[in-house]
C-alpha cells in the first residue's frame, strides 16, 4: 500500500530535463555576449580613430637643409636641383615650421625660383653666413612667414611679403608692376628696398636700414617706422605714419604727393617738383621744405622746419 502511494505520487510528478535548463540559460546569455562584442568593436574603432587624429595633429619634424655641390653631404629642399657649382633652381617650395637652409661650400650661392617660395614660421636661411653669400631670385610670389631670418639678397619680378617680426639680411629689389613689397609689423630689412613700379608698404614698428627708392611705386609707412637713409620716388606718393622717422636722409618726390602724419621726424630735406607737401602736427625736419613747381605746402600746428620753406608756384 505504501509503495503504491509513493509510486503514484512519483509518476504524477513532472521533471524537466537538465539539458533544457542549460539550453535556456545559454539562450538567455547569447544576446548579452553579442552586445558586449559589439561594444568592444566600437570602442576599438573609436580608439583607432582617436589615435589617428592625435598623430595627424602632431607637428612635423623640422628639416635642416644643406646647399652643397657634394652629393654626399648636401640635403636639398624638395624640388631644388643643382645647375652648377653654387647655382640652384627650384619650382614651388614651401618650408615647414623651424626648417633651416645653410650653405656648406660654394659661395656665393644663388637659388632661382620659377614658382612661389613660401616659408613657415621660425625659419632660418643662411643664418650663420653673410647676406652677400646667398641670392634668392623669384619670378613668383615670395612669402616669408612669422619670425624668420632670411640672410640673403632678394631679386624678384613678383610680390615680396615679409611676415611679422621677420628679418631680411640683405637688399630687396623688384621690377615690374607686380613687384609689390609689403613688410608686416615689426619686420626689418637690413639693406635697400628698390622697386621700379611696385608699391612699398611698411607696417608699424618696422625698420629699413638702407633707404627706400622707387620710380612709380607708392611708398606707405605705418606708425613708428624707422628708415635709415632717404625715401625717394619719381611718380609715386609718399605717406609717412605718425611717430615715424628717417635717419640720415630726407624725402624726395617729383610728381608724387608727400604727406607726413603727427610727430614725424625727417633727418633731411623734403622736396617735390609738382607734388603737394603736407606736414602733420608736431612733426619736424632738420632740412628744407622745397617745392620747385606748383606743389602746395601745408604746415599744421607745432611744426618745426630746420632751415627754410620755398616754393616757385605753389601756395604755402
Amino acid at each position: 500500500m505504501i509503495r503504491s502511494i509513493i509510486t503514484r505520487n512519483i509518476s504524477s510528478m513532472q521533471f524537466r530535463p537538465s539539458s533544457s535548463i542549460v539550453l535556456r540559460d545559454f539562450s538567455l546569455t547569447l544576446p548579452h555576449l553579442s552586445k558586449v562584442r559589439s561594444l568592444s568593436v566600437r570602442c576599438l574603432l573609436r580608439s583607432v580613430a582617436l589615435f589617428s587624429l592625435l598623430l595627424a595633429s602632431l607637428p612635423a619634424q623640422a628639416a635642416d637643409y644643406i646647399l652643397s655641390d657634394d652629393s654626399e653631404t648636401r640635403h636639398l629642399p624638395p624640388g631644388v636641383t643643382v645647375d652648377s657649382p653654387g647655382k640652384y633652381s627650384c619650382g614651388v617650395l614651401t618650408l615647414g615650421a623651424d626648417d633651416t637652409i645653410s650653405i656648406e661650400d660654394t659661395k656665393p650661392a644663388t637659388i632661382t625660383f620659377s614658382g612661389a617660395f613660401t616659408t613657415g614660421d621660425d625659419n632660418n636661411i643662411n643664418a650663420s653666413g653673410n647676406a652677400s653669400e646667398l641670392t634668392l631670385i623669384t619670378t613668383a610670389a615670395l612669402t616669408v612667414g612669422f619670425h624668420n631670418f632670411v640672410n640673403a639678397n632678394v631679386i624678384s619680378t613678383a610680390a615680396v611679403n615679409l611676415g611679422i617680426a621677420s628679418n631680411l639680411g640683405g637688399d630687396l629689389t623688384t621690377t615690374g608692376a607686380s613687384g609689390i613689397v609689403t613688410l608686416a609689423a615689426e619686420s626689418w630689412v637690413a639693406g635697400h628696398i628698390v622697386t621700379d613700379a611696385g608699391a612699398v608698404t611698411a607696417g608699424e614698428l618696422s625698420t629699413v636700414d638702407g633707404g627706400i627708392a622707387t620710380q612709380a611705386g607708392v611708398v606707405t609707412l605705418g606708425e613708428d617706422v624707422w628708415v635709415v637713409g632717404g625715401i625717394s620716388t619719381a611718380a609715386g606718393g609718399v605717406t609717412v605714419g605718425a611717430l615715424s622717422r628717417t635717419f640720415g636722409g630726407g624725402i624726395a618726390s617729383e610728381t608724387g604727393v608727400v604727406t607726413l602724419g603727427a610727430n614725424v621726424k625727417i633727418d633731411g630735406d623734403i622736396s617735390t617738383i609738382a607734388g603737394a607737401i603736407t606736414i602733420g602736427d608736431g612733426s619736424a625736419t632738420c632740412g628744407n621744405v622745397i617745392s620747385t613747381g606748383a606743389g602746395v605746402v601745408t604746415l599744421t600746428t607745432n611744426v618745426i622746419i630746420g632751415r627754410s620753406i620755398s616754393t616757385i608756384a605753389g601756395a604755402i
Side-chain angles (χ1 to χ4, degrees):
M1 175 70 71
I2 296 173
R3 178 180 297 179
S4 62
I5 294 172
I6 295 173
T7 304
R8 268 200 315 271
N9 290 337
I10 292 174
S11 62
S12 64
M13 294 176 64
Q14 295 181 357
F15 291 94
R16 294 175 180 172
S18 60
S19 59
S20 66
I21 297 174
V22 173
L23 287 174
R24 176 182 294 182
D25 291 341
F26 178 77
S27 64
L28 286 173
T29 58
L30 184 59
H32 294 286
L33 289 174
S34 177
K35 289 181 180 179
V36 170
R37 180 180 297 175
S38 177
L39 288 173
S40 299
V41 171
R42 285 202 297 268
C43 290
L44 178 60
L45 291 175
R46 288 176 181 174
S47 299
V48 171
L50 179 60
F51 183 70
S52 300
L53 290 173
L54 289 174
L55 285 179
S57 65
L58 291 175
Q61 187 173 359
D64 296 318
Y65 299 111
I66 301 173
L67 302 181
S68 173
D69 303 325
D70 187 350
S71 61
E72 297 294 329
T73 59
R74 68 183 173 222
H75 179 206
L76 301 179
V80 175
T81 58
V82 181
D83 298 330
S84 61
K87 304 294 183 183
Y88 305 86
S89 60
C90 184
V92 175
L93 176 60
T94 301
L95 298 179
D98 297 307
D99 285 355
T100 68
I101 299 178
S102 59
I103 308 171
E104 185 171 272
D105 41 28
T106 303
K107 302 176 183 180
T110 301
I111 308 176
T112 301
F113 294 89
S114 59
F117 178 26
T118 304
T119 73
D121 294 343
D122 295 298
N123 291 159
N124 284 310
I125 299 176
N126 190 33
S128 61
N130 298 317
S132 60
E133 296 173 345
L134 179 62
T135 299
L136 305 178
I137 300 175
T138 64
T139 57
L142 169 59
T143 304
V144 178
F146 168 77
H147 198 245
N148 278 219
F149 181 30
V150 181
N151 201 16
N153 294 311
V154 173
I155 301 172
S156 181
T157 58
V160 177
N161 303 291
L162 198 61
I164 294 174
S166 287
N167 298 337
L168 177 66
D171 295 330
L172 172 52
T173 304
T174 69
T175 57
S178 298
I180 298 170
V181 175
T182 303
L183 311 182
E186 300 182 44
S187 57
W188 169 61
V189 175
H192 303 278
I193 296 179
V194 179
T195 76
D196 56 7
V200 178
T201 301
E204 61 180 356
L205 297 170
S206 56
T207 301
V208 180
D209 274 348
I212 301 171
T214 177
Q215 291 296 314
V218 173
V219 177
T220 304
L221 307 184
E223 290 190 5
D224 204 3
V225 174
W226 287 11
V227 178
V228 181
I231 301 170
S232 65
T233 174
V238 178
T239 301
V240 181
L243 302 172
S244 295
R245 64 180 304 171
T246 65
F247 299 86
I251 299 175
S253 176
E254 293 182 10
T255 59
V257 173
V258 176
T259 304
L260 308 186
N263 300 303
V264 172
K265 303 293 185 288
I266 303 299
D267 190 16
D269 296 337
I270 302 173
S271 63
T272 69
I273 294 177
I277 300 174
T278 301
I279 301 178
D281 293 347
S283 293
T285 173
C286 65
N288 302 300
V289 177
I290 306 168
S291 175
T292 59
V296 175
V297 176
T298 303
L299 308 180
T300 56
T301 59
N302 299 315
V303 172
I304 299 174
I305 307 299
R307 294 186 179 177
S308 63
I309 304 174
S310 64
T311 177
I312 293 178
I316 300 177

